[in-house]
Amino acid sequence: MGETCNTSENREKNSMRERLDLFEEKKRQIEEKEKFLQKTFPLKILKKLPNMEGITKRTARFLRFKSLVYLLRHDHPKIFLRHFLKHPFRYALGLGRSYLSRGKREGDFFLCNTPSVDAFANKLVNKDHLFVLGFSYCHKPFECPSGRFNDRCDFEEDHPVCGQCFIGKCRALAKNARLLLIPTVHYIGEKMMEMVHEHPKKKVLFLITACEMSLRMFHDWGVMLGIEGLGVRLDGRICNTMRAFVLSEQGIKPGLTVVLPETQEKILELLKIRGAYGKVLDAHSHQKGAPSPKSKKSCKALF
């Protein structure tokens, strides 16, 4: 019996190593191709990062109140109200708890219902949790074949734009994940609410990129819903005033945003952890089943 257990454990470890090696090899191939395409088919990029504060001091004053007013005033399909009334007492308590707390962050990562990035990484090993990987539309290249202000990503591995896009890179490497392209803060709120109500017995995890203002707005919804995740702060031509944010929500966003290189690597490490455990699936899908208790022990060593 003991030999059988050891054999099964060794088989699991070997399978995990194989998936880790496959991830690293695919990442290496993507990055080599990206360097080649940057020379032969260069995209419009930010040659220099602007020195912009995440949110202006004026905008930061009473931001939670301004955010709530904006979210309710522009909630024309009554998304928030419709979902809120499904569990009014629970969600009211969640909102109250969020309003009474100060949001935490680790560098560019804003924490929602998780104490740290490492703690979130440990949750990713559970293949039964739903994992949402989201990117703000302003993070798309100008040359994106899908266009920018929409929720589409018509990813093609051989396309010269997709081959240089960080979103495309994540999509090519992500396993056991559901990909979302986010045009508005109401859109991501609606999708998360739908997911929570469609899968009441599953835990929803998320990793999304957005400007700091959007992340702070969405944080209260996340705490209210009880979902756990990381909001990744975008840099570049971000929206740091309410006026710029409102224009961006209408698709008026002439500037580019980026994830800083060090933060990109941390995101890829998280995707590697997610893909290292359980059956490898394509993006937009998830796997049913119980997590392996042995896998949880290995996660922190990877990150």
Side-chain angles (χ1 to χ4, degrees), residues 4-63:
T4 304
C5 289
N6 289 335
T7 302
S8 177
E9 184 177 341
N10 289 334
R11 193 182 299 119
E12 182 184 350
K13 287 181 179 178
N14 290 334
S15 178
M16 186 182 71
R17 288 195 196 99
E18 287 176 9
R19 286 194 286 269
L20 290 172
D21 291 341
L22 284 171
F23 183 96
E24 290 296 341
E25 176 59 21
K26 189 167 186 178
K27 178 172 176 280
R28 184 190 64 78
Q29 293 174 0
I30 290 172
E31 289 174 349
E32 283 185 0
K33 186 177 180 180
E34 183 181 3
K35 290 176 183 176
F36 172 76
L37 290 171
Q38 286 171 350
K39 295 176 182 177
T40 59
F41 195 93
L43 304 181
K44 294 177 183 177
I45 59 171
L46 287 173
K47 295 182 179 178
K48 184 180 178 181
L49 284 177
N51 185 20
M52 298 176 67
E53 54 189 339
I55 303 175
T56 64
K57 292 179 181 179
R58 181 179 179 182
T59 304
R61 293 185 63 197
F62 309 111
L63 180 60

Side-chain angles (χ1 to χ4, degrees), residues 49-279:
L49 284 177
N51 185 20
M52 298 176 67
E53 54 189 339
I55 303 175
T56 64
K57 292 179 181 179
R58 181 179 179 182
T59 304
R61 293 185 63 197
F62 309 111
L63 180 60
R64 271 185 162 151
F65 175 73
K66 295 175 189 174
S67 300
L68 183 61
V69 170
Y70 175 84
L71 291 170
L72 293 177
R73 182 178 292 173
H74 293 82
D75 185 20
H76 302 303
K78 304 300 179 185
I79 297 166
F80 181 85
L81 183 62
R82 191 170 69 248
H83 287 285
F84 183 88
L85 291 176
K86 291 181 180 179
H87 303 285
F89 297 110
R90 185 204 305 173
Y91 290 158
L93 285 172
L95 269 182
R97 188 170 69 252
S98 182
Y99 287 151
L100 292 173
S101 65
R102 295 187 64 182
K104 297 180 181 179
R105 63 185 288 188
E106 287 184 22
D108 284 340
F109 292 92
F110 286 73
L111 311 176
C112 179
N113 287 326
T114 186
S116 67
V117 175
D118 280 344
F120 178 74
N122 284 325
K123 292 288 179 68
L124 288 176
V125 305
N126 189 327
K127 61 190 178 186
D128 197 42
H129 293 340
L130 298 181
F131 176 48
V132 178
L133 180 63
F135 300 92
S136 177
Y137 83 89
C138 62
H139 193 181
K140 292 183 180 183
F142 286 127
E143 301 87 346
C144 178
S146 308
R148 294 190 81 210
F149 185 55
N150 55 53
D151 62 353
R152 288 171 46 210
C153 175
D154 301 328
F155 175 74
E156 296 179 25
E157 284 198 8
D158 295 328
H159 199 289
V161 176
C162 301
Q164 299 176 70
C165 173
F166 181 67
I167 298 174
K169 184 177 185 178
C170 289
R171 175 161 185 172
L173 292 169
K175 304 296 178 184
N176 301 319
R178 294 187 174 191
L179 185 73
L180 289 180
L181 275 296
I182 307 165
T184 67
V185 70
H186 286 90
Y187 177 89
I188 185 63
E190 179 181 16
K191 292 300 177 184
M192 288 299 188
M193 287 177 172
E194 287 176 354
M195 217 166 293
V196 167
H197 294 141
E198 287 172 7
H199 306 277
K201 295 183 179 180
K202 289 183 177 288
K203 183 175 287 295
V204 177
L205 308 175
F206 70 86
L207 176 66
I208 62 173
T209 68
C211 66
E212 185 171 339
M213 191 179 303
S214 295
L215 294 178
R216 291 191 182 278
M217 283 187 175
F218 177 70
H219 178 268
D220 293 326
W221 283 22
V223 174
M224 180 191 81
L225 290 169
I227 58 179
E228 298 182 32
L230 304 174
V232 184
R233 179 187 180 274
L234 289 170
D235 216 309
R237 294 292 176 184
I238 57 173
C239 300
N240 63 356
T241 67
M242 204 67 193
R243 176 174 172 76
F245 172 80
V246 172
L247 289 173
S248 175
E249 292 274 292
Q250 298 168 9
I252 304 172
K253 181 74 176 182
L256 273 175
T257 57
V258 296
V259 174
L260 297 180
E262 182 181 343
T263 306
Q264 287 186 21
E265 287 303 314
K266 290 180 180 178
I267 291 173
L268 295 176
E269 283 294 316
L270 291 167
L271 296 185
K272 180 166 72 173
I273 290 170
R274 180 65 175 176
Y277 299 90
K279 185 178 178 182

